[in-house]
Amino acid sequence: MKAHDGMYIGGAWRPAAGRDRIEVVNPADEQVIAEVPAGSADDVDAAVRAARAALPGWAATAPAERAALIGALRDVLLARKSEIAQTITAELGSPLGFSEMVQVGAPIAVASSYAELGASYAFEERLGNSTVLLEPIGVVGAITPWNYPLHQVVAKVAPALAAGCTVVLKPAEDTPLTAQLFAEAVHEAGIPAGVFNLVTGTGPVAGQALAAHEGVDLVSFTGSTAVGKQIGATAGAAVKRVALELGGKSANVILPGADLAKAVATGVGHVMNNTGQSCNALTRMLVHRDQYEEAVSLAAAAVATYPSGDPTDPATRLGPVVNAKQHERVRGYIAKGVEEGARLVAGGPDAPHERGYFVAPTVFADVTPEMTIAQEEIFGPVLSILPYEDEEDALRIANGTVYGLGGAVWAADEETAVAFARRMDTGQVDINGGRFNVLAPFGGYKQSGVGRELGPHGLAEYLQTKSLQF
Ligand code: NAP
Ligand code: MG
């Protein structure tokens, strides 16, 4: 596949400072499809300098003009949609239809939302005898994961640019080609040199250098809780702002009286989409004791409609997981579930195909709240179904993890579902199958993170206040 042998810094592709390389692997067939440079601290330094140099001009650009350039960026992403989707499928393994509709469709919608919000947002407010100015925080260091390689980038870069910040991006080493296409789109859209900069590389080298760089004012990270804690500590020590979008173990609570068949089918789809590699995946399904066995059979039937295989084949609904490490890790969790006494009703730890990092769509019943598979983020196509006795029991189980990112409640009516959702310790709850909304704040309670992305709340993360008293 096409790849740039350089970093996008100061509006041009420049050779990397060192010689280290990253091999990009197609997880469906384990073949190397491209190589990109692995950036060093020197590349990060050059990128941060470029972003700093561009900051005064960009911060002083009228919000409507910045917003118009985000609109132009959206137009380029739209025009290059199928090329980007093919690249995401090649380096991540998500089925092509999903890549087009969700992996590229969602970020186009997010870019559109910031093209509008950036122009209409009130960057000034009046409070008594004060005028409060909402000013850009400065240079943003963005560190993103591989699971939604374009969306996670756009969810940081679009609001940062709308706010008047400049950005250095360090994307996941597994999905650098999508990030390179994004940099091309930024260039094609006519966004001024240095406003957006890309350094490909590994987390411990380029990521760490970016998080620690004194020229970075805000570190925005999405990924694992383990790395998020380190980044939070690094940023805290330097009194730098930090936004962390971390893991989850979200509960899908089906209350008595809900449409059980619809709730189970939707819930299974939510976990199987993107091969379970969504931070807000509803991986714990909570069902009342009286309906439990019925829900388990419905779930087993539903996963049978997710054939795995070549992600470019339109019949495929389940791609591989992203890499060999995740392949081992996810199947290790499945083995652990069996070992701890959960009942396997579909799937299992064996790889279903000889080649590629495939995991069988897996459903566990008789899962208890303390089991490892009910507590830790698996990040694979694995659903746990837990029985509850009554609403209080369901709430205790739903809230009984260190995480609080997503969630869902199904009930006979919206009022009952909303009453339950109010008591959940989590950042988002889908009511009776409510759909994803690009304007709704996205982020975690507890160890699922700090700060919010998307919509006006996401824009506010990139601003700092100055108050003038009259
Ligand atoms: P990760 O290591 O947290 O990766 C996220 C990003 O952080 C990547 O760009 C990574 O670079 C970078 N990074 C890693 N170590 C760093 C460091 N010391 N300093 C600065 N940046 C660093 O996640 P992962 O290893 O890819 O996945 C492990 C687990 O994390 C998954 O199984 C899943 O549970 C969770 N996860 C959650 C999300 C989410 O959306 N919440 C997304 C992905 C993964 P490299 O790509 O080079 O490692
Ligand atoms: Mg990693």
Side-chain angles (χ1 to χ4, degrees), residues 124 126-127 129-133 135 466-470:
E124 218 179 285
R126 188 83 197 169
L127 279 178
N129 64 313
S130 301
T131 293
V132 181
L133 308 178
E135 300 187 332
K466 178 185 287 170
S467 45
L468 311 178
Q469 283 61 249
F470 294 89

Side-chain angles (χ1 to χ4, degrees), residues 268 272 296 299-300 303 343-348 360-365 381-385:
V268 166
M272 296 304 146
V296 169
V303 290
R343 169 165 53 112
L344 198 56
V345 294
T362 297
V363 177
F364 277 111
V382 183
L383 172 68
S384 293
I385 311 183

Side-chain angles (χ1 to χ4, degrees), residues 343-439:
R343 169 165 53 112
L344 198 56
V345 294
D350 296 337
H353 305 295
E354 233 168 76
R355 238 172 198 295
Y357 307 127
F358 291 93
V359 177
T362 297
V363 177
F364 277 111
D366 300 342
V367 177
T368 60
E370 325 63 63
M371 285 181 186
T372 306
I373 56 168
Q375 287 293 326
E376 295 184 15
E377 185 172 46
I378 298 173
F379 237 57
V382 183
L383 172 68
S384 293
I385 311 183
L386 295 87
Y388 67 82
E389 303 298 334
D390 54 30
E391 252 187 55
E392 291 308 309
D393 191 32
L395 187 71
R396 230 177 354 256
I397 298 170
N399 287 340
T401 76
V402 296
Y403 294 115
L405 187 59
V409 184
W410 297 81
D413 53 80
E414 274 181 15
E415 247 184 304
T416 310
V418 169
F420 191 94
R422 283 184 186 277
R423 301 171 73 199
M424 291 171 79
D425 301 331
T426 194
Q428 277 210 342
V429 185
D430 299 340
I431 303 295
N432 281 340
R435 285 167 305 117
F436 180 71
N437 173 6
V438 290
L439 293 175

Side-chain angles (χ1 to χ4, degrees), residues 178-376:
T178 305
Q180 290 192 340
L181 287 180
F182 177 78
E184 284 184 12
V186 165
H187 194 83
E188 222 179 302
I191 290 170
V195 169
F196 169 82
N197 307 274
L198 170 68
V199 176
T200 50
T202 67
V205 179
Q208 173 59 30
L210 183 58
H213 200 292
E214 59 182 24
V216 169
D217 301 297
L218 162 74
V219 185
S220 180
F221 168 82
T222 299
S224 63
T225 298
V227 175
K229 283 177 179 171
Q230 273 181 48
I231 287 178
T234 303
V239 200
K240 236 178 238 182
R241 284 260 293 264
V242 68
L244 304 171
E245 208 271 273
L246 309 177
K249 194 71 194 173
S250 300
N252 184 10
V253 182
I254 305 177
L255 295 175
D259 181 341
L260 188 68
K262 190 174 170 199
V264 171
T266 308
V268 166
H270 205 278
V271 177
M272 296 304 146
N273 273 341
N274 213 33
T275 322
Q277 303 168 122
S278 302
C279 39
N280 61 343
L282 300 167
T283 51
R284 296 182 299 146
M285 185 181 285
L286 276 56
V287 184
H288 190 273
R289 183 63 79 195
D290 292 346
Q291 295 179 302
Y292 189 71
E293 285 308 327
E294 192 186 346
V296 169
S297 338
L298 285 167
V303 290
T305 67
Y306 283 83
S308 71
D310 177 359
T312 62
D313 178 344
T316 296
R317 295 185 78 194
L318 197 70
V321 295
V322 69
N323 59 31
K325 190 174 144 208
Q326 287 299 105
H327 196 222
E328 285 305 304
R329 193 169 177 271
V330 172
R331 289 180 307 133
Y333 272 115
I334 298 174
K336 187 97 182 161
V338 173
E339 201 182 295
E340 291 185 359
R343 169 165 53 112
L344 198 56
V345 294
D350 296 337
H353 305 295
E354 233 168 76
R355 238 172 198 295
Y357 307 127
F358 291 93
V359 177
T362 297
V363 177
F364 277 111
D366 300 342
V367 177
T368 60
E370 325 63 63
M371 285 181 186
T372 306
I373 56 168
Q375 287 293 326
E376 295 184 15

